[in-house]
């Protein structure tokens, strides 16, 4: 089939940096964007129409990722080959900030399914469905410094992001060579999002590091979602994207 517009699949597009990335991608024009989030945003439809892009929004809970991955497989199989195909695994959840011994089993399961299992399944589907496309293919996993530096009362989030980093390393080995997809697990820095609000509002008795996050906010050290989105999307345009499968925007 002939190449059409650039195709992007983005999870967690309804809030924070994900919402900012969705807006900035659509503004490029000529983009086909599939957003997968728990909620949808009518404003994205208007932004797409104004910029000459297309947006499709699926309302889905990635705490139950298998049906979403199966649906994505069918959707990708029905698409014309684009000029470029990109998967951005952005969805994640910090959950309730508490020591592992104080967490509930459903909370732990949901955190790992959203933050790690969903990304793994969607990456598998994306790589399989696009394998015959002779166009640039990229997977961008949104990781975190907490995947590389442990913090108490954040065990499920740390585990999910560390797992994301390491499966990205493994996939980079599998996809090495001509025609392979390029993958990066990228830490975007500290961003003024709902996650930061949750960490600043956590019970200090359960989260000894709360003061650190309060100081980041108080001292103006948090990046805006819009600024962080620009840095993350700029990483996709680097000619060496994928050369280092685990990276941090602050070390560019």
């Amino acid at each position: 089939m002939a190449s059409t517009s650039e195709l992007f699949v983005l999870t967690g597009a309804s809030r924070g940096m994900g919402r900012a990335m969705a807006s900035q991608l659509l503004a490029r024009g000529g983009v086909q964007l599939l957003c997968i989030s728990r909620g949808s945003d009518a404003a994205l439809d208007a932004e797409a129409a104004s910029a000459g892009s297309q947006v499709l929004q699926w309302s889905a809970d990635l705490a139950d990722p298998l049906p979403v991955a199966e649906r994505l497989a069918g959707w990708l199989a029905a698409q014309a080959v684009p000029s470029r195909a990109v998967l951005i695994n952005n969805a994640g959840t910090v959950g309730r900030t508490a020591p592992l011994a104080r967490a509930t089993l459903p909370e732990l399961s949901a955190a790992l399914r959203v933050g790690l299992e969903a990304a793994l399944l969607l990456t598998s589907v994306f790589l399989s469905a696009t394998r015959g496309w002779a166009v640039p293919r990229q997977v961008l996993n949104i990781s975190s410094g907490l995947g590389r530096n442990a913090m108490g009362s954040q065990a499920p989030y740390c585990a999910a992001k560390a797992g994301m980093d390491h499966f990205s390393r493994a996939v980079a080995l599998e996809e090495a060579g001509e025609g392979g997809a390029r993958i990066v697990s990228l830490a975007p820095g500290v961003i003024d999002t709902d996650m930061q609000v949750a960490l600043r509002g956590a019970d200090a008795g359960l989260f000894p590091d709360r003061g650190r996050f309060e100081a980041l906010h108080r001292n103006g050290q948090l990046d805006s979602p819009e600024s962080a989105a620009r840095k993350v999307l700029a990483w996709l345009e680097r000619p060496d994207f994928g050369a280092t499968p685990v990276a941090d925007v602050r070390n560019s």
Side-chain angles (χ1 to χ4, degrees), residues 2 12 17 22 33-34 40 42 52 63-64 99 101 110 173 179 182 205 211 226 244 247-248:
M17 188 180 72
L33 174 64
L34 169 61
S40 59
D64 185 15
L173 295 174
R182 297 294 173 254
E226 293 74 20
T244 302
D248 190 311

Side-chain angles (χ1 to χ4, degrees), residues 75-93:
W75 184 82
L76 286 170
Q79 302 309 302
V81 178
S83 59
R84 174 192 189 191
V86 181
L87 168 65
I88 305 176
N89 285 308
N90 170 68
T93 177

Side-chain angles (χ1 to χ4, degrees), residues 219-233:
N219 297 331
Q221 294 174 275
L222 299 175
D223 210 357
S224 71
E226 293 74 20
S227 173
R230 283 192 293 272
K231 294 173 185 176
V232 166
L233 294 179

